Amino acid sequence: MAEIEIEIEIPPYFLCPISLDIMRDPVTVSTGITYERESIEKWVFTQKKASCPATKQHLDNLELTPNITLRRLIQSWCTLHATHGVQRLPTPKAPLTRPHLLHILSQASRPHLQSQALQTLKSIASDNLTNKRCMAAAGVPEFLAALIVTKSSSHDQLSDFQKTSEDALSIIYALQLPESALKPLCTAAFVEALTLIMQIGSYESQSYAIMLLKSMLEVADPSLLITLKPEFFSEIVKILKAEDISRKGRKSALKVLMAACPWGRNRMKAVEAGVVAVVIDLLLDTSEKRACEMMLTVVDMVCQCADGRSELLGHAAGLAVVSKKILRVSQGASERAVRILHSVSRFSATAAVLAEMMQSGVVAKLCLVMQVDCGAKTKEKAREILKAHARAWRTSPCIPYNLISSYPS
């Protein structure tokens, strides 16, 4: 009997509706439609869309059921087309179950099994979003935070603390926790442990710590924020000063300060830690829009206290660099910079300060603000500054002739 050669063509529904690639791990949602796991997880869990992409029906539950039949058909098609360079897709790992996860956490509680258990958790977290959701729901972040706090109190075993904290923080960071899962981590003990990591930890540990702190403090209760210790701000300033810190790490440090400094005591602690000089130095070399806006926001916050304004005025480039950012970065940056100058003008306007504002070009920049479209609030602040010190500035030869007409009467 002659052999019959069968050619299997891959049907359109084998393809991932979102990425237009061959499915590797097909799963079915409650509407009966099958999707690639990674794509539907991003749609539902990352983009927060609780509907079926194909039918637009609401998903009553978010259970993703593996479509084993379809997966085997795809694997068979790959095998038949191996001569054309198609590789057989490996069978995906089974979804994580709560009992399995609790068993791993039990192992992580034992010192001799802890390292291997943490590596297992790290591997599981990297598999898919379903695993991450399962880990968050099972209390893995709280377990890891408690583990870090416990290790931080054992100062005689710092090397063990560094290794454990690095592994644990990398897992917490990988879980991409929502606000509801971050709040239980916002405790004074965990913040102190993260402060210690910023002080003695490896570069990776410090990066994880500062990025986690950024997410935590954005959702933390004021009762935690007002109890932050001076050492906390000192370590944040060290991270800002570090030459090898990543752009993401530096922005996270700035966001931590933005979350902490609305409270007066924290402004004082930040100023005492040297935040003003560090941020001004960074502004001198920074032109990126978002970074400049965050730096000016931090300076604006600390300049709401007398010591903060004193530090700004004590920096040789303080007033000049703040003025330089007006009308050069963004409307938001201009608004923040003028607000800083308004604080200085209102509360720290000595004769020497007024003379420096004139000589460094601050007054000319404020006159320019009056001529251009840069936002009503910014213009109003600029007008208030110029009117408040008209006697000292209006007739000064330092103001360019073409800007004198814009000086408010």
Side-chain angles (χ1 to χ4, degrees), residues 16 18-19 21 24-27 35-47 64 127-130:
C16 170
I18 297 175
S19 65
D21 194 5
R24 298 174 180 274
D25 187 6
V27 292
Y35 299 94
E36 166 61 30
R37 179 185 291 277
E38 182 180 356
S39 297
I40 194 63
E41 283 182 339
K42 287 181 180 178
W43 174 267
V44 174
F45 304 131
T46 302
Q47 300 180 32
L64 303 179
D127 281 345
N128 53 61
L129 288 174
T130 301

Side-chain angles (χ1 to χ4, degrees), residues 319-385:
L319 287 175
V321 73
V322 170
S323 174
K324 181 181 178 181
K325 298 302 178 182
I326 299 174
L327 304 179
R328 288 196 174 189
V329 179
S330 66
Q331 184 168 317
S334 296
E335 182 179 341
R336 292 166 177 81
V338 171
R339 211 159 49 206
I340 294 167
L341 297 175
H342 188 269
S343 294
V344 171
S345 165
R346 185 176 180 185
F347 301 109
S348 305
T350 64
V353 169
L354 293 178
E356 182 182 352
M357 292 177 77
M358 174 60 70
Q359 294 166 3
S360 62
V362 172
V363 181
K365 182 60 74 76
L366 292 172
C367 289
L368 186 59
V369 166
M370 300 297 297
Q371 291 187 335
V372 301
D373 182 15
C374 60
K377 289 183 179 179
T378 304
K379 277 194 173 186
E380 183 58 33
K381 291 286 186 185
R383 183 187 303 276
E384 289 177 13
I385 298 170

Side-chain angles (χ1 to χ4, degrees), residues 198-404:
M198 289 190 292
Q199 182 180 356
I200 66 171
S202 65
Y203 172 79
E204 285 191 29
S205 295
Q206 290 177 337
S207 299
Y208 287 133
I210 192 64
M211 289 188 285
L212 181 56
L213 278 167
K214 182 266 295 183
S215 300
M216 288 170 49
L217 296 192
E218 287 177 344
V219 302
D221 293 330
S223 58
L224 174 65
L225 293 170
I226 61 178
T227 60
L228 295 173
K229 296 184 176 180
E231 302 84 52
F232 173 86
F233 292 94
S234 297
E235 296 308 321
I236 297 296
V237 169
K238 287 179 183 177
I239 285 179
L240 285 174
K241 290 169 65 175
E243 293 183 358
D244 57 351
I245 190 69
S246 66
R247 183 179 299 178
K248 188 174 183 179
R250 181 163 286 143
K251 285 185 176 180
S252 294
L254 290 168
K255 287 184 178 179
V256 167
L257 291 172
M258 289 165 60
C261 286
W263 282 265
R265 290 182 182 179
N266 287 346
R267 291 177 197 145
M268 295 293 295
K269 295 170 189 174
V271 171
E272 290 169 0
V275 72
V276 176
V278 171
V279 174
I280 293 297
D281 289 342
L282 290 173
L283 271 171
L284 286 167
D285 300 322
T286 303
S287 57
E288 186 198 344
K289 174 185 171 182
R290 184 56 185 149
C292 282
E293 290 175 344
M294 289 191 290
M295 292 174 193
L296 289 168
T297 299
V298 171
V299 176
D300 178 31
M301 286 179 170
V302 297
C303 279
Q304 293 176 37
C305 68
D307 288 351
R309 293 190 294 274
S310 178
E311 288 293 313
L312 174 68
L313 296 172
H315 194 291
L319 287 175
V321 73
V322 170
S323 174
K324 181 181 178 181
K325 298 302 178 182
I326 299 174
L327 304 179
R328 288 196 174 189
V329 179
S330 66
Q331 184 168 317
S334 296
E335 182 179 341
R336 292 166 177 81
V338 171
R339 211 159 49 206
I340 294 167
L341 297 175
H342 188 269
S343 294
V344 171
S345 165
R346 185 176 180 185
F347 301 109
S348 305
T350 64
V353 169
L354 293 178
E356 182 182 352
M357 292 177 77
M358 174 60 70
Q359 294 166 3
S360 62
V362 172
V363 181
K365 182 60 74 76
L366 292 172
C367 289
L368 186 59
V369 166
M370 300 297 297
Q371 291 187 335
V372 301
D373 182 15
C374 60
K377 289 183 179 179
T378 304
K379 277 194 173 186
E380 183 58 33
K381 291 286 186 185
R383 183 187 303 276
E384 289 177 13
I385 298 170
L386 292 172
K387 289 185 70 173
H389 305 291
R391 183 173 297 180
W393 293 337
R394 186 177 179 86
T395 58
S396 172
C398 294
I399 302 179
Y401 179 78
N402 64 313
L403 297 179
I404 293 177

Side-chain angles (χ1 to χ4, degrees), residues 62-167:
L62 303 180
E63 191 74 23
L64 303 179
T65 306
N67 191 328
I68 298 174
T69 301
L70 179 56
R71 188 182 70 217
R72 288 175 177 169
L73 283 171
I74 295 172
Q75 289 175 331
S76 298
W77 181 88
C78 292
T79 301
L80 286 170
H81 289 75
T83 55
H84 301 290
V86 178
Q87 295 183 349
R88 186 181 186 278
L89 300 178
T91 301
K93 297 177 182 178
L96 180 66
T97 62
R98 188 179 179 88
H100 181 210
L101 182 56
L102 294 178
H103 174 68
I104 299 172
L105 293 182
S106 174
Q107 291 180 321
S109 302
R110 304 172 191 173
H112 64 290
L113 298 175
Q114 194 169 87
S115 179
Q116 182 59 45
L118 290 177
Q119 293 302 318
T120 302
L121 288 173
K122 188 184 295 188
S123 175
I124 290 173
S126 66
D127 281 345
N128 53 61
L129 288 174
T130 301
N131 284 359
K132 292 176 183 178
R133 290 178 65 249
C134 180
M135 293 172 73
V140 171
E142 293 93 322
F143 172 86
L144 296 174
L147 180 61
I148 292 172
V149 170
T150 302
K151 291 285 185 179
S152 68
S153 61
S154 305
H155 295 292
D156 56 330
Q157 297 179 334
L158 287 180
S159 59
D160 182 40
F161 166 66
Q162 290 175 336
K163 180 66 172 66
T164 301
S165 62
E166 184 172 314
D167 289 339

